Amino acid sequence: MVQILDGKAMALQIKDEIANEVRSLTQAGHRAPHLAAVIVGEDGASKTYVANKEKSSREVGFTSSVYRMPESTTEAQLLETIAFLNNDPDIDGYIVQLPLPKHINEQTIINSISPDKDVDGFTPINIGRMVLGEDCFVPATPMGICTLLKRYGIETAGKHCVVLGRSNIVGTPAANLLSRKGFDCTVTICHSKTQNLKEMCRQADILVVAIGKPEFVTADIVKPGAVVIDVGIHRVEDASKKNGYRVIGDVKHDEVDAQCSWVTPVPGGVGPLTIVSLLENTLKAYRKHESR
Ligand code: NAP
């Protein structure tokens, strides 16, 4: 029987743990951790993501601030804001919401974020530390996947894990983390040039899907008893819903779920854990700042 990796419930539990720690800190007279976000332009999805991060920050008792900049912001102006955030001692961590407008070089911006405040774990320094297995900020979505597997006690050692997708923010770090000591999976990464993708997927004990294609993974390419982690998020029109849409993933759940041992739903799987991982990284940054 398939079991659900309930990211929503787990996120609530972890948020409770964080909120308790923040309460103890502030009751003892310390300041609260402070997470900031920078958003440039009017991208609807980005606005929703930042609003959710702000809401979650406040729910756990963090101080939260959002720097909203117009679409016309120049790279130099954004770099100035980043320099300010890097130097403000009251800000423990911050994120720059991606994507940025086309006229701004994303990598230039990421490279300018102080690694000590890089709670998204996107800077080359943090990525390098992660690959070396050193203490670092791990990108939130792969960190969320690891948390789900760990807290549900899913056996990973020696398992064949196939990761569909090799983006810098999901697929590549997920593959790295799951191959390391502690998880000990044997990992295969598939991407758009992979020739025998279906055969690869059928061999997966653990299938992590971060391909960005709605319902790409169908039952015929999933091994019976596999653990399936669906990272995809897509809005599709649905007249039967009040808001006119529903959210689906990269996995065709109505046919795949029945043959899995464990599966993440969409919504309510990896998504809630992504935000919580950002909060955990911010608390970690706070502890480091306070211990100096
Ligand atoms: P991305 O940057 O678009 O990367 C997609 C990856 O999939 C690329 O590596 C690409 O290969 C590969 N790919 C695309 N089509 C393929 C095909 N037909 N066969 C094999 N590989 C293929 O996407 P992403 O940022 O990693 O995000 C993936 C999904 O996760 C999206 O739906 C996104 O919305 C969602 N997401 C969710 C969360 C969350 O919190 N739940 C967070 C981030 C992203 P190439 O490298 O060869 O192009």
Side-chain angles (χ1 to χ4, degrees):
M1 241 263 292
V2 63
Q3 299 187 77
I4 301 298
L5 293 162
D6 187 343
K8 198 173 168 189
M10 186 171 287
L12 282 175
Q13 188 189 325
I14 299 174
K15 272 164 93 174
D16 249 9
E17 292 165 15
I18 297 173
N20 284 338
E21 184 166 345
V22 174
R23 206 172 301 117
S24 308
L25 284 165
T26 50
Q27 280 172 356
H30 300 284
R31 69 179 178 88
H34 185 167
L35 173 65
V38 183
I39 178 166
V40 185
E42 296 297 322
D43 181 75
S46 293
K47 280 179 164 174
T48 307
Y49 290 141
V50 169
N52 286 339
K53 288 168 188 172
E54 196 182 7
K55 181 170 168 272
S56 295
S57 287
R58 292 192 192 279
E59 280 168 358
V60 295
F62 286 3
T63 306
S64 163
S65 45
V66 179
Y67 294 77
R68 294 185 174 81
M69 305 180 77
E71 181 82 22
S72 59
T73 302
T74 64
E75 192 171 293
Q77 286 168 329
L78 182 53
L79 286 170
E80 256 177 53
T81 301
I82 286 178
F84 166 79
L85 295 168
N86 284 343
N87 291 317
D88 185 339
D90 288 338
I91 291 175
D92 298 294
Y94 68 92
I95 60 144
V96 178
Q97 185 63 45
L98 303 179
L100 291 169
K102 298 248 176 307
H103 62 275
I104 299 178
N105 185 314
E106 268 182 15
Q107 202 54 50
T108 303
I109 298 304
I110 290 170
N111 291 351
S112 67
I113 297 172
S114 164
D116 288 350
K117 297 192 177 189
D118 170 31
V119 286
D120 254 341
F122 289 171
T123 59
I125 297 273
N126 274 310
I127 291 169
R129 286 178 183 154
M130 180 188 72
V131 172
L132 291 169
E134 290 180 5
D135 184 43
C136 65
F137 295 115
V138 171
T141 302
M143 182 170 161
I145 294 170
C146 292
T147 302
L148 267 174
L149 292 172
K150 231 188 244 162
R151 289 207 179 206
Y152 269 100
I154 306 290
E155 205 180 299
T156 54
K159 301 290 179 191
H160 185 197
C161 173
V162 174
V163 179
L164 286 191
R166 59 174 168 185
S167 73
N168 288 342
I169 63 165
V170 188
T172 296
N176 177 265
L177 292 165
L178 293 170
S179 70
R180 300 198 68 83
K181 282 207 164 59
F183 285 103
D184 298 301
C185 291
T186 302
V187 176
T188 302
I189 306 180
C190 297
H191 46 74
S192 64
K193 302 290 186 288
T194 298
Q195 287 189 351
N196 47 352
L197 185 131
K198 291 189 174 188
E199 287 70 34
M200 287 293 172
C201 290
R202 279 191 209 110
Q203 291 169 27
D205 302 310
I206 300 173
L207 184 61
V208 176
V209 192
I211 199 169
K213 299 252 181 295
E215 299 189 332
F216 180 91
V217 170
T218 45
D220 58 314
I221 65 170
V222 176
K223 180 176 169 177
V227 176
V228 175
I229 310 284
D230 185 358
V231 183
I233 301 180
H234 311 274
R235 275 186 184 188
V236 291
E237 281 182 25
D238 186 341
S240 72
K241 301 279 176 196
K242 236 190 198 166
N243 51 14
Y245 69 88
R246 74 196 147 89
V247 176
I248 61 169
D250 286 353
V251 172
K252 197 161 170 41
H253 287 276
D254 52 0
E255 56 177 66
V256 168
D257 289 10
Q259 68 192 61
C260 303
S261 55
W262 291 91
V263 68
T264 58
V266 174
V270 175
L273 261 299
T274 294
I275 294 193
V276 157
S277 300
L278 183 67
L279 302 177
E280 289 183 295
N281 276 345
T282 305
L283 189 55
K284 178 176 173 155
Y286 169 90
R287 288 196 202 104
K288 282 189 171 181
H289 293 161
E290 289 298 293
S291 67
R292 278 197 196 129

